[in-house]
Amino acid sequence: MAEVVLFHHVQGLTDGIRAFADELRAGGHTVHTPDVFEGELPASIEEGVAHVRSIGDEVLAERVDRVVADLPEGLVYAGFSWGAATAQQLAQTRPGARGALLYESCVPLTGEWSFGPWPDGVPVQIHGMDKDPFFALEGDLDAARELVDTVGSGLAELFVYPGDKHLFADSSLPSYDADAAALVVKRSRDFLDRVS
């Protein structure tokens, strides 16, 4: 079975993220859920963004580095929104990645925010809603399509769901969409079964 490290979004390690991790564990996989915010649970996306800024990128990067330093290579890196960017960076820069699950975020492979080229042979699956103001309307969906085109459909999958919700797979938030989230879980578990 796969070993996964799942990074939370800007509202912290919510009960909904814990529940999502449990759904992946139910498929027989090991899932680590680090709390990069050290217990803080911002009440909104806006407050979460402000919280990220108040901590600072350097401190957050140090916390992430401490988390993965204790984990083996051969991980699947996963994350939601802000956490997906963290997962993508690790998948692209830490040796031995087995795969990446990117929920509601995708960083372009080129440009000032790029982490460099996608590593050879590393599969990736990306999920997001087609009218999500953050994923679809801020360029992440375009970046996801570019990633699939670059890496090829044999290694990269993009699943786009109808709707305008962000953080729709987090059952503890008002944006939760149970039907779409169930599909995300199923497709994620299928992905993890393949990379195990």
Side-chain angles (χ1 to χ4, degrees):
M1 294 290 102
E3 187 165 1
V4 182
V5 57
L6 176 65
F7 292 97
H8 59 73
H9 48 66
V10 293
Q11 289 186 248
L13 184 56
T14 61
D15 288 343
I17 294 298
R18 293 177 196 274
F20 187 91
D22 286 341
E23 292 279 358
L24 299 183
R25 290 183 188 111
H29 305 287
T30 299
V31 183
H32 305 277
T33 52
D35 185 353
V36 183
F37 285 3
E38 299 180 342
E40 292 293 322
L41 294 168
S44 68
I45 291 171
E46 294 74 22
E47 288 179 32
V49 170
H51 185 64
V52 165
R53 289 188 180 130
S54 73
I55 297 171
D57 291 341
E58 190 173 311
V59 171
L60 289 167
E62 287 170 4
R63 291 178 185 177
V64 168
D65 288 345
R66 280 198 305 271
V67 166
V68 296
D70 294 332
L71 296 174
E73 290 185 2
L75 294 169
V76 174
Y77 297 98
F80 284 90
S81 191
W82 174 82
T86 301
Q88 183 175 344
Q89 181 177 15
L90 290 167
Q92 288 186 241
T93 60
R94 190 169 188 247
R98 295 287 293 276
L101 288 165
L102 308 178
Y103 306 112
E104 304 172 283
S105 178
C106 186
V107 177
L109 291 177
T110 57
E112 73 174 292
W113 302 108
S114 170
F115 306 124
W118 192 260
D120 289 341
V122 175
V124 57
Q125 197 178 77
I126 309 153
H127 301 262
M129 285 194 162
D130 62 355
K131 294 179 182 63
D132 173 346
F134 299 97
F135 176 75
L137 306 182
E138 289 189 351
D140 294 67
L141 179 53
D142 293 335
R145 289 180 174 135
E146 177 196 12
L147 178 55
V148 172
D149 288 345
T150 302
V151 175
S153 59
L155 276 179
E157 296 175 291
L158 170 61
F159 294 105
V160 181
Y161 306 82
D164 61 359
K165 304 284 193 243
H166 193 62
L167 308 180
F168 69 90
D170 184 326
S171 60
S172 65
L173 298 178
S175 54
Y176 181 59
D177 181 319
D179 292 338
L183 268 177
V184 173
V185 168
K186 180 190 181 310
R187 289 166 170 165
S188 298
R189 281 169 51 169
D190 290 346
F191 176 88
L192 294 175
D193 289 344
R194 290 196 303 273
V195 303
S196 294

PDB file of all heavy atoms in Angstrom, residues 162-181:
ATOM      1  N   PRO A 162     -18.362  19.758 -11.820  1.00  0.00           N
ATOM      2  CA  PRO A 162     -19.200  20.948 -11.986  1.00  0.00           C
ATOM      3  C   PRO A 162     -19.432  21.641 -10.649  1.00  0.00           C
ATOM      4  O   PRO A 162     -19.712  20.986  -9.643  1.00  0.00           O
ATOM      5  CB  PRO A 162     -20.510  20.379 -12.556  1.00  0.00           C
ATOM      6  CG  PRO A 162     -20.527  18.937 -12.146  1.00  0.00           C
ATOM      7  CD  PRO A 162     -19.093  18.504 -12.044  1.00  0.00           C
ATOM      8  N   GLY A 163     -19.264  22.955 -10.647  1.00  0.00           N
ATOM      9  CA  GLY A 163     -19.529  23.686  -9.420  1.00  0.00           C
ATOM     10  C   GLY A 163     -18.568  24.840  -9.214  1.00  0.00           C
ATOM     11  O   GLY A 163     -17.591  24.995  -9.941  1.00  0.00           O
ATOM     12  N   ASP A 164     -18.864  25.642  -8.195  1.00  0.00           N
ATOM     13  CA  ASP A 164     -18.067  26.840  -7.932  1.00  0.00           C
ATOM     14  C   ASP A 164     -17.525  26.864  -6.505  1.00  0.00           C
ATOM     15  O   ASP A 164     -17.206  27.913  -5.966  1.00  0.00           O
ATOM     16  CB  ASP A 164     -18.897  28.102  -8.201  1.00  0.00           C
ATOM     17  CG  ASP A 164     -20.127  28.195  -7.304  1.00  0.00           C
ATOM     18  OD1 ASP A 164     -20.367  27.277  -6.482  1.00  0.00           O
ATOM     19  OD2 ASP A 164     -20.861  29.192  -7.423  1.00  0.00           O
ATOM     20  N   LYS A 165     -17.424  25.700  -5.889  1.00  0.00           N
ATOM     21  CA  LYS A 165     -16.969  25.618  -4.500  1.00  0.00           C
ATOM     22  C   LYS A 165     -15.464  25.394  -4.427  1.00  0.00           C
ATOM     23  O   LYS A 165     -14.893  24.670  -5.232  1.00  0.00           O
ATOM     24  CB  LYS A 165     -17.657  24.461  -3.772  1.00  0.00           C
ATOM     25  CG  LYS A 165     -19.171  24.510  -3.800  1.00  0.00           C
ATOM     26  CD  LYS A 165     -19.699  25.530  -2.833  1.00  0.00           C
ATOM     27  CE  LYS A 165     -21.173  25.374  -2.636  1.00  0.00           C
ATOM     28  NZ  LYS A 165     -21.938  26.513  -3.072  1.00  0.00           N
ATOM     29  N   HIS A 166     -14.857  26.030  -3.426  1.00  0.00           N
ATOM     30  CA  HIS A 166     -13.458  25.769  -3.104  1.00  0.00           C
ATOM     31  C   HIS A 166     -13.446  25.009  -1.786  1.00  0.00           C
ATOM     32  O   HIS A 166     -14.236  25.289  -0.898  1.00  0.00           O
ATOM     33  CB  HIS A 166     -12.683  27.081  -2.999  1.00  0.00           C
ATOM     34  CG  HIS A 166     -11.199  26.895  -2.979  1.00  0.00           C
ATOM     35  ND1 HIS A 166     -10.508  26.331  -4.038  1.00  0.00           N
ATOM     36  CD2 HIS A 166     -10.259  27.176  -2.041  1.00  0.00           C
ATOM     37  CE1 HIS A 166      -9.223  26.291  -3.750  1.00  0.00           C
ATOM     38  NE2 HIS A 166      -9.040  26.796  -2.534  1.00  0.00           N
ATOM     39  N   LEU A 167     -12.554  24.056  -1.658  1.00  0.00           N
ATOM     40  CA  LEU A 167     -12.471  23.172  -0.490  1.00  0.00           C
ATOM     41  C   LEU A 167     -13.728  22.307  -0.380  1.00  0.00           C
ATOM     42  O   LEU A 167     -14.241  22.055   0.711  1.00  0.00           O
ATOM     43  CB  LEU A 167     -12.216  23.974   0.796  1.00  0.00           C
ATOM     44  CG  LEU A 167     -11.031  24.952   0.744  1.00  0.00           C
ATOM     45  CD1 LEU A 167     -10.875  25.676   2.072  1.00  0.00           C
ATOM     46  CD2 LEU A 167      -9.748  24.251   0.340  1.00  0.00           C
ATOM     47  N   PHE A 168     -14.183  21.812  -1.519  1.00  0.00           N
ATOM     48  CA  PHE A 168     -15.438  21.064  -1.578  1.00  0.00           C
ATOM     49  C   PHE A 168     -15.340  19.641  -1.032  1.00  0.00           C
ATOM     50  O   PHE A 168     -16.359  18.982  -0.829  1.00  0.00           O
ATOM     51  CB  PHE A 168     -15.974  21.030  -3.020  1.00  0.00           C
ATOM     52  CG  PHE A 168     -15.151  20.203  -3.972  1.00  0.00           C
ATOM     53  CD1 PHE A 168     -15.408  18.863  -4.163  1.00  0.00           C
ATOM     54  CD2 PHE A 168     -14.115  20.784  -4.697  1.00  0.00           C
ATOM     55  CE1 PHE A 168     -14.658  18.105  -5.058  1.00  0.00           C
ATOM     56  CE2 PHE A 168     -13.355  20.043  -5.586  1.00  0.00           C
ATOM     57  CZ  PHE A 168     -13.629  18.690  -5.763  1.00  0.00           C
ATOM     58  N   ALA A 169     -14.138  19.149  -0.778  1.00  0.00           N
ATOM     59  CA  ALA A 169     -13.987  17.794  -0.241  1.00  0.00           C
ATOM     60  C   ALA A 169     -13.752  17.794   1.269  1.00  0.00           C
ATOM     61  O   ALA A 169     -13.524  16.747   1.856  1.00  0.00           O
ATOM     62  CB  ALA A 169     -12.853  17.063  -0.953  1.00  0.00           C
ATOM     63  N   ASP A 170     -13.844  18.960   1.887  1.00  0.00           N
ATOM     64  CA  ASP A 170     -13.669  19.083   3.337  1.00  0.00           C
ATOM     65  C   ASP A 170     -15.047  19.069   3.994  1.00  0.00           C
ATOM     66  O   ASP A 170     -15.782  20.058   3.945  1.00  0.00           O
ATOM     67  CB  ASP A 170     -12.921  20.381   3.669  1.00  0.00           C
ATOM     68  CG  ASP A 170     -12.610  20.523   5.149  1.00  0.00           C
ATOM     69  OD1 ASP A 170     -13.416  20.063   5.983  1.00  0.00           O
ATOM     70  OD2 ASP A 170     -11.564  21.116   5.474  1.00  0.00           O
ATOM     71  N   SER A 171     -15.404  17.953   4.621  1.00  0.00           N
ATOM     72  CA  SER A 171     -16.748  17.765   5.170  1.00  0.00           C
ATOM     73  C   SER A 171     -17.059  18.660   6.356  1.00  0.00           C
ATOM     74  O   SER A 171     -18.212  18.738   6.792  1.00  0.00           O
ATOM     75  CB  SER A 171     -16.948  16.294   5.564  1.00  0.00           C
ATOM     76  OG  SER A 171     -15.986  15.920   6.538  1.00  0.00           O
ATOM     77  N   SER A 172     -16.067  19.358   6.886  1.00  0.00           N
ATOM     78  CA  SER A 172     -16.308  20.230   8.035  1.00  0.00           C
ATOM     79  C   SER A 172     -16.600  21.671   7.632  1.00  0.00           C
ATOM     80  O   SER A 172     -16.843  22.513   8.500  1.00  0.00           O
ATOM     81  CB  SER A 172     -15.108  20.193   8.998  1.00  0.00           C
ATOM     82  OG  SER A 172     -13.956  20.741   8.379  1.00  0.00           O
ATOM     83  N   LEU A 173     -16.610  21.962   6.328  1.00  0.00           N
ATOM     84  CA  LEU A 173     -16.814  23.330   5.856  1.00  0.00           C
ATOM     85  C   LEU A 173     -18.135  23.460   5.091  1.00  0.00           C
ATOM     86  O   LEU A 173     -18.619  22.478   4.505  1.00  0.00           O
ATOM     87  CB  LEU A 173     -15.662  23.750   4.938  1.00  0.00           C
ATOM     88  CG  LEU A 173     -14.264  23.776   5.569  1.00  0.00           C
ATOM     89  CD1 LEU A 173     -13.233  24.169   4.527  1.00  0.00           C
ATOM     90  CD2 LEU A 173     -14.221  24.722   6.767  1.00  0.00           C
ATOM     91  N   PRO A 174     -18.723  24.653   5.054  1.00  0.00           N
ATOM     92  CA  PRO A 174     -19.976  24.862   4.317  1.00  0.00           C
ATOM     93  C   PRO A 174     -19.851  24.588   2.813  1.00  0.00           C
ATOM     94  O   PRO A 174     -20.849  24.331   2.148  1.00  0.00           O
ATOM     95  CB  PRO A 174     -20.307  26.343   4.564  1.00  0.00           C
ATOM     96  CG  PRO A 174     -19.511  26.750   5.743  1.00  0.00           C
ATOM     97  CD  PRO A 174     -18.304  25.866   5.786  1.00  0.00           C
ATOM     98  N   SER A 175     -18.648  24.646   2.274  1.00  0.00           N
ATOM     99  CA  SER A 175     -18.422  24.429   0.840  1.00  0.00           C
ATOM    100  C   SER A 175     -18.450  22.946   0.447  1.00  0.00           C
ATOM    101  O   SER A 175     -18.318  22.621  -0.731  1.00  0.00           O
ATOM    102  CB  SER A 175     -17.078  25.032   0.435  1.00  0.00           C
ATOM    103  OG  SER A 175     -16.038  24.534   1.262  1.00  0.00           O
ATOM    104  N   TYR A 176     -18.637  22.069   1.406  1.00  0.00           N
ATOM    105  CA  TYR A 176     -18.582  20.615   1.154  1.00  0.00           C
ATOM    106  C   TYR A 176     -19.631  20.186   0.136  1.00  0.00           C
ATOM    107  O   TYR A 176     -20.791  20.581   0.199  1.00  0.00           O
ATOM    108  CB  TYR A 176     -18.800  19.880   2.468  1.00  0.00           C
ATOM    109  CG  TYR A 176     -18.743  18.372   2.380  1.00  0.00           C
ATOM    110  CD1 TYR A 176     -17.606  17.725   1.923  1.00  0.00           C
ATOM    111  CD2 TYR A 176     -19.825  17.603   2.790  1.00  0.00           C
ATOM    112  CE1 TYR A 176     -17.544  16.339   1.862  1.00  0.00           C
ATOM    113  CE2 TYR A 176     -19.773  16.217   2.749  1.00  0.00           C
ATOM    114  CZ  TYR A 176     -18.636  15.584   2.277  1.00  0.00           C
ATOM    115  OH  TYR A 176     -18.575  14.209   2.234  1.00  0.00           O
ATOM    116  N   ASP A 177     -19.203  19.365  -0.806  1.00  0.00           N
ATOM    117  CA  ASP A 177     -20.087  18.747  -1.800  1.00  0.00           C
ATOM    118  C   ASP A 177     -19.892  17.239  -1.682  1.00  0.00           C
ATOM    119  O   ASP A 177     -18.889  16.696  -2.153  1.00  0.00           O
ATOM    120  CB  ASP A 177     -19.725  19.256  -3.199  1.00  0.00           C
ATOM    121  CG  ASP A 177     -20.617  18.691  -4.302  1.00  0.00           C
ATOM    122  OD1 ASP A 177     -20.948  17.487  -4.266  1.00  0.00           O
ATOM    123  OD2 ASP A 177     -20.983  19.467  -5.207  1.00  0.00           O
ATOM    124  N   ALA A 178     -20.851  16.566  -1.043  1.00  0.00           N
ATOM    125  CA  ALA A 178     -20.689  15.149  -0.710  1.00  0.00           C
ATOM    126  C   ALA A 178     -20.518  14.272  -1.946  1.00  0.00           C
ATOM    127  O   ALA A 178     -19.687  13.360  -1.953  1.00  0.00           O
ATOM    128  CB  ALA A 178     -21.889  14.665   0.114  1.00  0.00           C
ATOM    129  N   ASP A 179     -21.289  14.537  -2.997  1.00  0.00           N
ATOM    130  CA  ASP A 179     -21.199  13.701  -4.199  1.00  0.00           C
ATOM    131  C   ASP A 179     -19.841  13.858  -4.884  1.00  0.00           C
ATOM    132  O   ASP A 179     -19.200  12.863  -5.251  1.00  0.00           O
ATOM    133  CB  ASP A 179     -22.320  14.045  -5.183  1.00  0.00           C
ATOM    134  CG  ASP A 179     -23.695  13.646  -4.651  1.00  0.00           C
ATOM    135  OD1 ASP A 179     -23.768  12.765  -3.766  1.00  0.00           O
ATOM    136  OD2 ASP A 179     -24.696  14.216  -5.125  1.00  0.00           O
ATOM    137  N   ALA A 180     -19.410  15.094  -5.058  1.00  0.00           N
ATOM    138  CA  ALA A 180     -18.104  15.332  -5.695  1.00  0.00           C
ATOM    139  C   ALA A 180     -16.980  14.786  -4.820  1.00  0.00           C
ATOM    140  O   ALA A 180     -16.037  14.162  -5.322  1.00  0.00           O
ATOM    141  CB  ALA A 180     -17.904  16.820  -5.960  1.00  0.00           C
ATOM    142  N   ALA A 181     -17.095  14.981  -3.508  1.00  0.00           N
ATOM    143  CA  ALA A 181     -16.052  14.492  -2.598  1.00  0.00           C
ATOM    144  C   ALA A 181     -15.940  12.979  -2.643  1.00  0.00           C
ATOM    145  O   ALA A 181     -14.837  12.428  -2.595  1.00  0.00           O
ATOM    146  CB  ALA A 181     -16.338  14.965  -1.174  1.00  0.00           C
TER     147      ALA A 181
END
